[in-house]
Amino acid sequence: MPNAKVVIQEPEVTFEELAESARKLRKPLLQIPVMRAEKALKFMTPRVGIRVAETVGTLDGDMQFGPYDEDREDNSDVKITPRTLFTYLGSVVKNFKPNAIVKSIWGPSVLHGEGMKNTELARMVLTMLTRRMGDHLYRELFKAQRNANGTTTHDLFNGFDTIAKTEMTAIEANVAQGIEAKPAAITEALGNLKVIEAITKNNAYDVCRAICKAANEFLRDEEELLLFCPEHVVWDYEEDYKTTTGGTAYNTQFHKYVIEGFENVTFVPLSCKNGSPFLQLTTKRNMLYGVDQISDKENVEVARFKAFVLQFIATMFFGVQYESIDKERILFATIDGTTAI
């Protein structure tokens, strides 16, 4: 009896299946880029439903008890120092060949009999593309620099480090161009800046402790503080800690990196901070990221471009901001605002 011929049939994804998946999965697909950046965003606070801008800031004032005096009045002002959380509308039109993408995911050995259905593959294709969008959001959280004429995620919004560097720079008045003078808002004199040396395995222990000591007393009293840093800072701290303390273990909880003597300060080492010129010592509620996620201004859809080429079209809002850069809310540590820590 002749051997039966084995036919290997690769899966295919049609335009209709992709378009239908995009319609049905619009909401979760829009959430995927944000979820993909969750390894950093979980240490930050979301503001949902923001399209273009929202005013945030610090409410400040003072009031205190004194010996009873029915005639004493307090006329000091209550003020707010406003900051604006901008979210920018980003868009992408991706031309792609769906079946080529499927082959790149599953390879040529995929059989129809393995339980993969076309509709599932369509969802996988769209999910893969939106995950890539989220990967770029994560990489740019700190270093993005807004350029309305740009073409990448780096150009979409101003990242946390970019904002910090801008606030370190004083702006001179220029009447001809309608520019008002603006003093630097992050300085040692204001108490929200600590100038440090480059962190190595020989000094990380002392530098990190010096940063915590330099923080304002109200900031140090926060129940939970986060030190956003490049990954090498934690590695260098661990090496220097062993040398300084004779190798005594200090980490008693897996992935819980605390600074000796400051048990309320936790390292947040992020690969997207590698090469960063800043460390930020602050709270989760002070690190804001803005998204929309609820309006019809954000959308995902699939359209036909050519016979075998489709377009994946997506629009969404995104931006970041510090709620406050006051010394009681945050301390920036840097060498000079430009050199990598």
Side-chain angles (χ1 to χ4, degrees):
M1 183 174 180
N3 294 331
K5 184 178 180 181
V6 177
V7 178
I8 298 178
Q9 186 174 5
E10 296 176 355
E12 294 184 357
V13 179
T14 67
F15 162 70
E16 290 75 17
E17 289 165 347
L18 278 166
E20 180 64 20
S21 291
R23 285 192 292 269
K24 290 182 178 180
L25 300 173
R26 173 184 173 275
K27 185 173 181 179
L29 284 174
L30 285 171
Q31 293 173 338
I32 286 175
V34 176
M35 294 171 62
R36 186 67 172 174
E38 180 69 9
K39 49 194 165 184
L41 296 181
K42 66 183 178 181
F43 298 105
M44 302 169 186
T45 300
R47 293 293 182 92
V48 180
I50 300 178
R51 296 177 294 280
V52 181
E54 178 182 82
T55 298
V56 297
T58 304
L59 187 64
D60 191 22
D62 192 23
M63 185 175 180
Q64 59 180 304
F65 286 109
Y68 180 79
D69 183 346
E70 61 185 23
D71 296 321
R72 186 178 65 248
E73 297 179 355
D74 183 352
N75 295 313
S76 59
D77 290 334
V78 175
K79 63 179 182 178
I80 184 170
T81 303
R83 297 185 63 79
T84 302
L85 170 58
F86 290 102
T87 61
Y88 300 93
L89 180 61
S91 66
V92 61
V93 178
K94 175 70 174 179
N95 295 331
F96 68 99
K97 299 176 182 178
N99 291 319
I101 293 177
V102 168
K103 292 176 184 178
S104 71
I105 297 175
W106 301 108
S109 63
V110 177
L111 305 179
H112 271 301
E114 292 179 353
M116 294 303 301
K117 299 180 181 178
N118 287 354
T119 53
E120 294 175 14
L121 288 172
R123 176 179 58 81
M124 295 293 287
V125 170
L126 296 176
T127 300
M128 183 271 289
L129 289 173
T130 50
R131 282 167 63 92
R132 293 294 181 266
M133 292 164 60
D135 290 340
H136 289 291
L137 273 183
Y138 169 75
R139 295 189 187 105
E140 298 295 339
L141 280 174
F142 288 85
K143 64 184 179 181
Q145 188 169 355
R146 173 66 178 174
N147 176 9
N149 296 318
T151 59
T152 66
T153 304
H154 180 74
D155 308 303
L156 178 59
F157 61 99
N158 288 318
F160 286 111
D161 285 348
T162 302
I163 295 171
K165 187 171 183 178
T166 300
E167 296 283 7
M168 281 185 64
T169 307
I171 300 175
E172 295 184 2
N174 189 322
V175 178
Q177 297 184 20
I179 299 174
E180 297 182 2
K182 178 185 175 184
I186 297 176
T187 68
E188 289 183 287
L190 291 174
N192 56 1
L193 176 66
K194 171 67 175 176
V195 175
I196 62 172
E197 56 186 298
I199 295 177
T200 70
K201 64 181 180 180
N202 297 318
N203 67 4
Y205 178 81
D206 288 334
V207 172
C208 290
R209 282 173 51 82
I211 292 171
C212 295
K213 291 177 182 178
N216 177 269
E217 60 190 79
F218 290 104
L219 180 60
R220 289 199 309 269
D221 284 343
E222 288 283 353
E223 184 175 347
E224 183 176 2
L225 284 172
L226 307 173
L227 183 63
F228 292 88
C229 61
E231 294 173 302
H232 83 86
V233 172
V234 173
W235 303 333
D236 289 341
Y237 181 88
E238 291 175 338
E239 288 295 320
D240 196 23
Y241 185 94
K242 293 175 185 177
T243 302
T244 303
T245 64
T248 303
Y250 75 98
N251 277 330
T252 58
Q253 183 177 343
F254 186 63
H255 284 322
K256 177 72 171 180
Y257 306 112
V258 298
I259 296 178
E260 180 75 7
F262 299 91
E263 280 66 31
N264 62 328
V265 179
T266 304
F267 283 114
V268 181
L270 301 170
S271 61
C272 63
K273 282 283 282 178
N274 292 344
S276 169
F278 290 97
L279 303 180
Q280 288 93 347
L281 178 64
T282 188
T283 60
K284 177 177 180 178
R285 69 179 183 277
N286 197 44
M287 302 286 282
L288 306 180
Y289 68 92
V291 292
D292 179 5
Q293 302 280 289
I294 59 177
S295 79
D296 58 3
K297 298 295 183 182
E298 294 187 325
N299 195 28
V300 292
E301 63 177 302
V302 174
R304 188 182 295 280
F305 177 51
K306 295 179 182 178
F308 300 103
V309 179
L310 304 181
Q311 289 183 326
F312 180 37
I313 304 167
T315 56
M316 69 175 294
F317 287 88
F318 191 81
V320 303
Q321 183 58 275
Y322 304 102
E323 185 175 59
S324 172
I325 57 172
D326 185 84
K327 64 182 179 181
E328 296 179 3
R329 300 290 305 280
I330 190 169
L331 177 69
F332 298 90
T334 186
I335 299 171
D336 56 15
T338 301
T339 304
I341 295 294

